[in-house]
Protein backbone atom coordinates (compact mmCIF):
# COMPACT_ATOMS: atom_id res chain seq x y z
CA UNK A 1 0.00 0.00 0.00
CA UNK A 2 1.41 3.27 -1.07
CA UNK A 3 1.13 6.57 0.80
CA UNK A 4 1.12 10.01 -0.74
CA UNK A 5 1.57 13.39 0.95
CA UNK A 6 -1.68 15.30 0.80
CA UNK A 7 -3.69 18.19 2.23
CA UNK A 8 -7.21 17.92 3.55
CA UNK A 9 -9.52 20.91 3.25
CA UNK A 10 -12.21 20.53 5.86
CA UNK A 11 -14.37 23.17 7.62
CA UNK A 12 -14.07 21.38 10.96
CA UNK A 13 -10.28 21.66 11.08
CA UNK A 14 -8.70 24.69 12.70
CA UNK A 15 -7.43 26.90 9.90
CA UNK A 16 -9.55 24.96 7.40
CA UNK A 17 -6.83 22.57 6.28
CA UNK A 18 -4.19 20.14 7.47
CA UNK A 19 -1.32 18.17 6.02
CA UNK A 20 -1.19 14.41 6.15
CA UNK A 21 -1.08 11.36 3.92
CA UNK A 22 -3.48 9.42 1.74
CA UNK A 23 -3.61 5.79 0.84
CA UNK A 24 -6.08 3.61 -1.06
CA UNK A 25 -7.67 0.26 -0.42
CA UNK A 26 -10.34 -1.69 -2.28
CA UNK A 27 -13.09 0.63 -0.94
CA UNK A 28 -11.79 4.10 -1.34
CA UNK A 29 -9.30 6.84 -0.45
CA UNK A 30 -8.21 7.45 3.14
CA UNK A 31 -6.68 10.61 4.53
CA UNK A 32 -4.79 10.37 7.82
CA UNK A 33 -3.28 13.07 9.99
CA UNK A 34 -2.97 13.49 13.72
CA UNK A 35 -5.78 16.06 13.75
CA UNK A 36 -8.14 14.38 11.35
CA UNK A 37 -9.03 11.20 9.52
CA UNK A 38 -11.23 11.33 6.46
CA UNK A 39 -12.26 8.91 3.75
CA UNK A 40 -14.25 8.89 0.50
CA UNK A 41 -15.66 5.69 -0.94
CA UNK A 42 -14.90 4.98 -4.63
CA UNK A 43 -18.66 5.01 -5.34
CA UNK A 44 -18.82 8.70 -4.40
CA UNK A 45 -15.34 9.76 -5.49
CA UNK A 46 -14.68 12.53 -7.98
CA UNK A 47 -11.15 13.15 -9.34
CA UNK A 48 -9.98 16.39 -10.93
CA UNK A 49 -6.70 18.08 -11.80
CA UNK A 50 -6.70 21.66 -10.57
CA UNK A 51 -4.85 24.50 -8.90
CA UNK A 52 -2.38 26.78 -10.69
CA UNK A 53 -1.41 25.08 -13.95
CA UNK A 54 -3.27 21.89 -12.89
CA UNK A 55 -0.45 21.08 -10.51
CA UNK A 56 -2.65 19.20 -8.01
CA UNK A 57 -4.96 16.20 -8.10
CA UNK A 58 -8.16 16.80 -6.12
CA UNK A 59 -10.35 14.10 -4.56
CA UNK A 60 -13.85 15.16 -3.55
CA UNK A 61 -17.05 13.47 -2.55
CA UNK A 62 -19.94 13.86 -5.00
CA UNK A 63 -22.28 16.60 -3.81
CA UNK A 64 -19.87 17.85 -1.17
CA UNK A 65 -17.53 20.40 -2.61
CA UNK A 66 -16.68 21.86 0.81
CA UNK A 67 -14.37 18.99 1.70
CA UNK A 68 -11.53 17.92 -0.54
CA UNK A 69 -8.20 16.15 -0.43
CA UNK A 70 -5.44 17.16 -2.79
CA UNK A 71 -1.94 16.03 -3.54
CA UNK A 72 0.88 17.35 -5.69
CA UNK A 73 2.08 13.79 -6.28
CA UNK A 74 0.63 12.97 -9.68
CA UNK A 75 1.84 9.37 -9.46
CA UNK A 76 -1.32 8.91 -7.40
CA UNK A 77 -3.18 8.56 -10.71
CA UNK A 78 -1.26 5.35 -11.37
CA UNK A 79 -2.21 3.81 -8.00
CA UNK A 80 -3.26 0.21 -8.46
CA UNK A 81 -6.32 0.25 -6.14
CA UNK A 82 -7.57 3.49 -7.66
CA UNK A 83 -7.11 2.28 -11.23
CA UNK A 84 -8.82 -1.02 -10.49
CA UNK A 85 -12.11 0.78 -9.97
CA UNK A 86 -13.47 0.90 -13.57
CA UNK A 87 -15.98 3.74 -13.10
CA UNK A 88 -13.17 6.08 -12.19
CA UNK A 89 -11.02 5.40 -15.25
CA UNK A 90 -12.48 8.19 -17.45
CA UNK A 91 -11.84 10.75 -14.68
CA UNK A 92 -8.33 9.41 -14.06
CA UNK A 93 -7.53 9.70 -17.76
CA UNK A 94 -8.93 13.24 -17.97
CA UNK A 95 -6.97 14.35 -14.89
CA UNK A 96 -3.77 12.80 -16.26
CA UNK A 97 -4.27 14.66 -19.52
CA UNK A 98 -4.84 17.97 -17.75
CA UNK A 99 -1.84 17.40 -15.51
CA UNK A 100 0.28 16.51 -18.56
CA UNK A 101 -0.75 19.73 -20.28
CA UNK A 102 1.15 21.56 -17.53
CA UNK A 103 4.34 19.70 -18.49
CA UNK A 104 3.77 20.49 -22.12
CA UNK A 105 3.23 24.19 -21.32
CA UNK A 106 6.35 24.22 -19.14
CA UNK A 107 8.34 22.48 -21.88
CA UNK A 108 7.15 25.03 -24.44
CA UNK A 109 8.04 27.94 -22.13
CA UNK A 110 11.48 26.42 -21.39
CA UNK A 111 12.12 25.78 -25.08
CA UNK A 112 11.10 29.35 -25.95
CA UNK A 113 13.41 30.80 -23.32
CA UNK A 114 16.23 28.54 -24.47
CA UNK A 115 15.64 29.50 -28.09
CA UNK A 116 15.57 33.19 -27.20
CA UNK A 117 18.86 32.97 -25.31
CA UNK A 118 20.61 30.81 -27.85
CA UNK A 119 19.51 33.13 -30.64
CA UNK A 120 20.81 36.07 -28.60
CA UNK A 121 24.20 34.37 -28.57
CA UNK A 122 24.04 33.03 -32.11
CA UNK A 123 23.02 36.36 -33.58
CA UNK A 124 24.87 38.49 -31.04
CA UNK A 125 26.99 40.14 -33.76
CA UNK A 126 23.92 40.99 -35.84
CA UNK A 127 22.11 42.28 -32.76
CA UNK A 128 25.13 44.41 -31.84
CA UNK A 129 25.32 45.76 -35.36
CA UNK A 130 21.69 46.84 -35.42
CA UNK A 131 21.92 48.15 -31.84
CA UNK A 132 24.92 50.27 -32.92
CA UNK A 133 22.73 51.80 -35.65
CA UNK A 134 20.36 53.07 -32.95
CA UNK A 135 23.14 55.14 -31.43
CA UNK A 136 23.64 58.38 -33.35
CA UNK A 137 27.16 58.89 -34.80
CA UNK A 138 27.09 62.41 -33.33
CA UNK A 139 27.15 60.84 -29.89
CA UNK A 140 30.30 58.90 -30.76
CA UNK A 141 31.74 62.07 -32.19
CA UNK A 142 31.43 63.82 -28.82
CA UNK A 143 33.44 61.05 -27.16
CA UNK A 144 35.99 61.23 -29.99
CA UNK A 145 36.37 64.98 -29.46
CA UNK A 146 37.03 64.51 -25.75
CA UNK A 147 39.63 61.84 -26.44
CA UNK A 148 41.22 64.01 -29.09
CA UNK A 149 41.65 66.97 -26.75
CA UNK A 150 43.23 64.66 -24.20
CA UNK A 151 45.57 63.21 -26.83
CA UNK A 152 46.41 66.64 -28.26
CA UNK A 153 48.34 67.41 -25.09
CA UNK A 154 50.89 64.74 -26.00
CA UNK A 155 50.88 65.23 -29.75
CA UNK A 156 52.50 67.72 -32.05
CA UNK A 157 50.08 68.24 -34.90
CA UNK A 158 51.42 68.92 -38.37
CA UNK A 159 49.48 72.00 -39.40
CA UNK A 160 48.88 73.64 -42.77
CA UNK A 161 50.81 70.90 -44.44
CA UNK A 162 50.88 69.46 -47.90
CA UNK A 163 50.23 65.96 -46.52
CA UNK A 164 46.71 66.90 -45.56
CA UNK A 165 46.05 68.66 -48.85
CA UNK A 166 47.25 65.67 -50.83
CA UNK A 167 45.00 63.32 -48.89
CA UNK A 168 42.00 65.58 -49.27
CA UNK A 169 42.58 65.94 -53.01
CA UNK A 170 42.00 62.22 -53.55
CA UNK A 171 39.76 61.35 -50.63
CA UNK A 172 37.31 64.30 -50.44
CA UNK A 173 34.53 62.66 -52.49
CA UNK A 174 34.99 59.43 -50.57
CA UNK A 175 34.77 61.24 -47.18
CA UNK A 176 31.68 63.17 -48.32
CA UNK A 177 29.95 59.87 -49.01
CA UNK A 178 30.68 58.52 -45.51
CA UNK A 179 29.79 61.84 -43.89
CA UNK A 180 26.26 61.50 -45.30
CA UNK A 181 25.78 58.81 -42.65
CA UNK A 182 26.46 61.38 -39.92
CA UNK A 183 30.19 60.94 -39.40
CA UNK A 184 32.66 63.76 -39.50
CA UNK A 185 35.88 62.50 -41.04
CA UNK A 186 38.95 64.53 -40.11
CA UNK A 187 42.50 63.46 -40.79
CA UNK A 188 45.36 64.65 -38.59
CA UNK A 189 49.04 64.08 -39.06
CA UNK A 190 51.11 64.10 -35.92
CA UNK A 191 54.88 64.22 -35.52
CA UNK A 192 55.87 60.81 -34.24
CA UNK A 193 58.52 58.55 -35.70
CA UNK A 194 56.66 55.33 -34.93
CA UNK A 195 54.65 53.68 -37.70
CA UNK A 196 51.10 54.03 -36.52
CA UNK A 197 47.62 55.26 -37.27
CA UNK A 198 44.35 55.00 -35.42
CA UNK A 199 40.78 56.20 -35.54
CA UNK A 200 38.77 57.79 -32.76
CA UNK A 201 35.01 57.29 -32.36
CA UNK A 202 33.02 59.54 -34.66
CA UNK A 203 35.60 60.07 -37.39
CA UNK A 204 38.91 61.61 -36.35
CA UNK A 205 41.84 59.67 -37.82
CA UNK A 206 45.36 60.20 -36.57
CA UNK A 207 48.30 59.24 -38.76
CA UNK A 208 51.80 59.45 -37.36
CA UNK A 209 54.50 60.85 -39.61
CA UNK A 210 56.54 57.68 -39.06
CA UNK A 211 53.94 55.84 -41.08
CA UNK A 212 54.12 58.34 -43.95
CA UNK A 213 57.93 58.18 -43.94
CA UNK A 214 57.92 54.39 -44.10
CA UNK A 215 55.26 54.19 -46.82
CA UNK A 216 56.58 53.65 -50.33
CA UNK A 217 53.67 55.38 -52.02
CA UNK A 218 50.59 57.50 -51.40
CA UNK A 219 48.49 54.43 -52.11
CA UNK A 220 50.01 52.82 -49.02
CA UNK A 221 49.07 55.78 -46.78
CA UNK A 222 45.60 55.83 -48.30
CA UNK A 223 45.35 52.09 -47.72
CA UNK A 224 45.95 52.58 -43.99
CA UNK A 225 43.60 55.58 -43.96
CA UNK A 226 40.81 53.61 -45.62
CA UNK A 227 41.24 50.85 -43.02
CA UNK A 228 40.99 53.36 -40.18
CA UNK A 229 37.96 55.07 -41.70
CA UNK A 230 36.30 51.68 -42.05
CA UNK A 231 36.70 51.23 -38.28
CA UNK A 232 34.68 54.46 -37.95
CA UNK A 233 32.01 53.78 -40.55
CA UNK A 234 31.53 50.17 -39.48
CA UNK A 235 30.99 51.48 -35.93
CA UNK A 236 33.74 49.34 -34.42
CA UNK A 237 34.16 51.55 -31.35
CA UNK A 238 30.54 51.38 -30.34
CA UNK A 239 30.25 47.73 -31.37
CA UNK A 240 33.23 46.85 -29.13
CA UNK A 241 31.48 48.66 -26.33
CA UNK A 242 28.15 46.92 -26.99
CA UNK A 243 29.99 43.63 -27.04
CA UNK A 244 31.09 44.31 -23.47
CA UNK A 245 27.75 45.36 -22.02
CA UNK A 246 25.26 42.84 -20.73
CA UNK A 247 22.43 41.33 -22.74
CA UNK A 248 19.95 43.52 -20.84
CA UNK A 249 21.63 46.76 -21.95
CA UNK A 250 21.89 45.38 -25.48
CA UNK A 251 18.20 44.53 -25.66
CA UNK A 252 17.36 47.97 -24.18
CA UNK A 253 19.31 49.62 -27.00
CA UNK A 254 17.36 47.52 -29.51
CA UNK A 255 14.20 49.02 -28.06
CA UNK A 256 15.61 52.52 -28.36
CA UNK A 257 16.71 53.00 -24.75
CA UNK A 258 20.36 54.00 -24.79
CA UNK A 259 20.49 55.16 -21.16
CA UNK A 260 22.23 51.95 -20.05
CA UNK A 261 24.90 52.49 -22.70
CA UNK A 262 25.38 56.10 -21.64
CA UNK A 263 25.89 54.87 -18.07
CA UNK A 264 28.43 52.29 -19.26
CA UNK A 265 30.36 54.87 -21.23
CA UNK A 266 30.33 57.02 -18.11
CA UNK A 267 32.07 54.23 -16.23
CA UNK A 268 34.32 53.12 -19.11
CA UNK A 269 35.14 56.77 -19.82
CA UNK A 270 38.03 57.42 -22.14
CA UNK A 271 38.71 53.71 -22.42
CA UNK A 272 36.30 53.50 -25.33
CA UNK A 273 39.26 54.15 -27.60
CA UNK A 274 41.35 51.47 -25.99
CA UNK A 275 38.86 48.63 -26.32
CA UNK A 276 40.78 46.27 -28.55
CA UNK A 277 39.37 45.64 -31.98
CA UNK A 278 38.50 42.04 -32.43
CA UNK A 279 40.06 39.90 -35.12
CA UNK A 280 36.75 40.05 -37.00
CA UNK A 281 36.74 43.86 -36.89
CA UNK A 282 40.27 44.01 -38.30
CA UNK A 283 39.30 41.81 -41.23
CA UNK A 284 36.12 43.82 -41.72
CA UNK A 285 38.10 47.09 -41.69
CA UNK A 286 40.54 45.66 -44.26
CA UNK A 287 37.70 44.52 -46.49
CA UNK A 288 35.61 47.71 -46.20
CA UNK A 289 38.73 49.86 -46.59
CA UNK A 290 39.69 47.92 -49.72
CA UNK A 291 36.22 48.53 -51.18
CA UNK A 292 36.47 52.27 -50.43
CA UNK A 293 39.72 52.42 -52.36
CA UNK A 294 38.30 50.51 -55.34
CA UNK A 295 35.20 52.71 -55.42
CA UNK A 296 37.38 55.83 -55.31
CA UNK A 297 39.59 54.46 -58.10
CA UNK A 298 42.62 54.41 -55.82
CA UNK A 299 44.93 51.42 -56.37
CA UNK A 300 44.14 49.16 -53.37
CA UNK A 301 47.39 47.27 -53.78
CA UNK A 302 48.95 49.83 -51.45
CA UNK A 303 47.21 48.12 -48.59
CA UNK A 304 48.96 44.85 -49.39
CA UNK A 305 52.40 46.34 -49.97
CA UNK A 306 52.20 48.32 -46.73
CA UNK A 307 51.36 45.19 -44.79
CA UNK A 308 54.30 43.48 -46.48
CA UNK A 309 56.60 46.29 -45.36
CA UNK A 310 55.32 45.82 -41.81
CA UNK A 311 55.77 42.09 -42.03
CA UNK A 312 59.38 42.50 -43.18
CA UNK A 313 60.22 44.65 -40.16
CA UNK A 314 61.70 42.72 -37.28
CA UNK A 315 59.09 41.30 -34.93
CA UNK A 316 60.66 43.07 -31.95
CA UNK A 317 60.25 46.44 -33.53
CA UNK A 318 56.59 45.81 -34.33
CA UNK A 319 55.80 44.62 -30.86
CA UNK A 320 57.49 47.55 -29.20
CA UNK A 321 55.51 49.89 -31.47
CA UNK A 322 52.25 48.27 -30.50
CA UNK A 323 52.89 48.31 -26.80
CA UNK A 324 53.55 52.04 -26.92
CA UNK A 325 50.33 52.94 -28.63
CA UNK A 326 46.58 52.60 -28.33
CA UNK A 327 45.09 49.20 -28.86
CA UNK A 328 43.12 50.56 -31.77
CA UNK A 329 46.34 51.05 -33.64
CA UNK A 330 46.62 49.91 -37.22
CA UNK A 331 49.37 47.55 -36.15
CA UNK A 332 47.10 45.40 -34.11
CA UNK A 333 49.00 42.18 -33.36
CA UNK A 334 45.89 40.15 -33.96
CA UNK A 335 45.02 38.89 -36.44
CA UNK A 336 48.35 37.92 -37.89
CA UNK A 337 49.59 40.37 -40.55
CA UNK A 338 50.31 37.51 -42.97
CA UNK A 339 46.68 36.35 -42.66
CA UNK A 340 45.48 39.83 -43.51
CA UNK A 341 47.84 39.99 -46.51
CA UNK A 342 46.52 36.63 -47.75
CA UNK A 343 42.91 37.75 -47.44
CA UNK A 344 43.63 40.99 -49.31
CA UNK A 345 45.50 39.10 -52.02
CA UNK A 346 42.40 36.95 -52.56
CA UNK A 347 40.43 40.16 -53.06
CA UNK A 348 43.09 41.38 -55.48
CA UNK A 349 42.81 38.21 -57.58
CA UNK A 350 39.02 38.59 -57.68
CA UNK A 351 39.33 42.24 -58.64
CA UNK A 352 41.81 41.42 -61.40
CA UNK A 353 39.62 38.67 -62.84
CA UNK A 354 36.61 41.00 -62.73
CA UNK A 355 38.63 43.66 -64.57
CA UNK A 356 39.71 41.08 -67.14
CA UNK A 357 36.11 40.00 -67.76
CA UNK A 358 35.14 43.67 -68.04
CA UNK A 359 37.90 44.27 -70.63
CA UNK A 360 36.88 41.20 -72.63
CA UNK A 361 33.27 42.38 -72.69
CA UNK A 362 34.41 45.82 -73.84
CA UNK A 363 36.53 44.25 -76.56
CA UNK A 364 33.65 42.03 -77.71
CA UNK A 365 31.29 44.99 -77.79
CA UNK A 366 33.84 47.00 -79.79
CA UNK A 367 34.36 44.16 -82.31
CA UNK A 368 30.66 43.61 -82.48
CA UNK A 369 30.06 47.24 -83.38
CA UNK A 370 32.93 47.07 -85.92
CA UNK A 371 31.33 44.02 -87.57
CA UNK A 372 27.93 45.73 -87.42
CA UNK A 373 29.31 48.87 -89.05
CA UNK A 374 30.89 46.81 -91.85
CA UNK A 375 27.63 45.07 -92.56
ZN1 LIG B 1 42.51 48.21 -37.38
Amino acid sequence: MENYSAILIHPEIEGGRCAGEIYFNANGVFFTATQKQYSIAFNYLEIKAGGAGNRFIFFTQKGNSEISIYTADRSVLRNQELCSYPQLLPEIKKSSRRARSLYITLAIVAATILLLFSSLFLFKDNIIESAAKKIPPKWEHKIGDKLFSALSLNYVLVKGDSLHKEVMAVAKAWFDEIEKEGFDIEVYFVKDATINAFALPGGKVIIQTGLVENAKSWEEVLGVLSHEIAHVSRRHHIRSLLNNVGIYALVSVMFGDISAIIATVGSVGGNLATLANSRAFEYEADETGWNYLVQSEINPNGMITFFETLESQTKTKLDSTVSNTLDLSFLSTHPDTQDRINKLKEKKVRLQSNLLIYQIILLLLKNHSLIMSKL
Side-chain angles (χ1 to χ4, degrees), residues 272-343:
L272 187 58
T274 60
L275 284 170
N277 271 320
S278 70
R279 175 188 289 258
F281 285 172
E282 290 306 336
Y283 285 130
E284 195 176 70
D286 285 344
E287 171 139 10
T288 310
W290 175 280
N291 294 341
Y292 283 151
L293 296 171
V294 174
Q295 282 157 20
S296 315
E297 293 173 14
I298 297 165
N299 188 351
N301 199 44
M303 242 180 166
I304 297 175
T305 54
F306 190 73
F307 273 135
E308 281 169 342
T309 306
L310 292 180
E311 191 67 348
S312 67
Q313 309 246 356
T314 64
K315 191 84 183 133
T316 358
K317 195 181 167 194
L318 263 179
D319 284 345
S320 66
T321 311
V322 172
S323 63
N324 288 338
T325 53
L326 289 171
D327 286 343
L328 277 180
S329 95
F330 181 73
L331 306 173
S332 171
T333 45
H334 66 99
D336 188 52
T337 313
Q338 192 54 52
D339 273 353
R340 292 168 72 179
I341 293 173
N342 294 345
K343 280 221 158 39

Side-chain angles (χ1 to χ4, degrees), residues 194-198 206-211 321 325-326 329-331:
T194 48
I195 308 174
N196 197 20
F198 55 91
I206 286 115
I207 299 175
Q208 296 181 181
T209 44
L211 188 144
T321 311
T325 53
L326 289 171
S329 95
F330 181 73
L331 306 173

Side-chain angles (χ1 to χ4, degrees), residues 147-310:
L147 289 168
F148 185 72
S149 30
L151 284 171
S152 306
L153 301 173
N154 303 322
Y155 277 136
V156 182
L157 289 177
V158 182
K159 282 185 185 142
D161 61 305
S162 55
L163 286 174
H164 192 262
K165 276 185 203 136
E166 282 188 55
V167 165
M168 291 314 280
V170 280
K172 178 84 173 66
W174 162 36
F175 290 178
D176 286 349
E177 207 50 45
I178 298 166
E179 285 180 356
K180 278 182 195 159
E181 293 167 37
F183 300 101
D184 205 351
I185 308 294
E186 290 166 78
V187 183
Y188 295 91
F189 288 93
V190 297
K191 282 202 182 103
D192 192 316
T194 48
I195 308 174
N196 197 20
F198 55 91
L200 294 176
K204 285 186 168 67
V205 176
I206 286 115
I207 299 175
Q208 296 181 181
T209 44
L211 188 144
V212 181
E213 279 152 21
N214 281 276
K216 288 191 219 74
S217 66
W218 260 111
E219 279 82 9
E220 290 195 353
V221 178
L222 292 168
V224 174
L225 181 65
S226 71
H227 169 97
E228 291 308 326
I229 287 174
H231 275 314
V232 173
S233 66
R234 300 296 299 130
R235 315 290 303 266
H236 288 166
H237 301 92
I238 204 75
R239 279 162 70 192
S240 294
L241 179 75
L242 289 171
N243 200 32
N244 285 281
V245 299
I247 287 285
Y248 172 75
L250 198 58
V251 173
S252 305
V253 174
M254 289 294 286
F255 287 100
D257 173 17
I258 61 169
S259 57
I261 294 299
I262 291 172
T264 309
V265 171
S267 62
V268 172
N271 292 337
L272 187 58
T274 60
L275 284 170
N277 271 320
S278 70
R279 175 188 289 258
F281 285 172
E282 290 306 336
Y283 285 130
E284 195 176 70
D286 285 344
E287 171 139 10
T288 310
W290 175 280
N291 294 341
Y292 283 151
L293 296 171
V294 174
Q295 282 157 20
S296 315
E297 293 173 14
I298 297 165
N299 188 351
N301 199 44
M303 242 180 166
I304 297 175
T305 54
F306 190 73
F307 273 135
E308 281 169 342
T309 306
L310 292 180

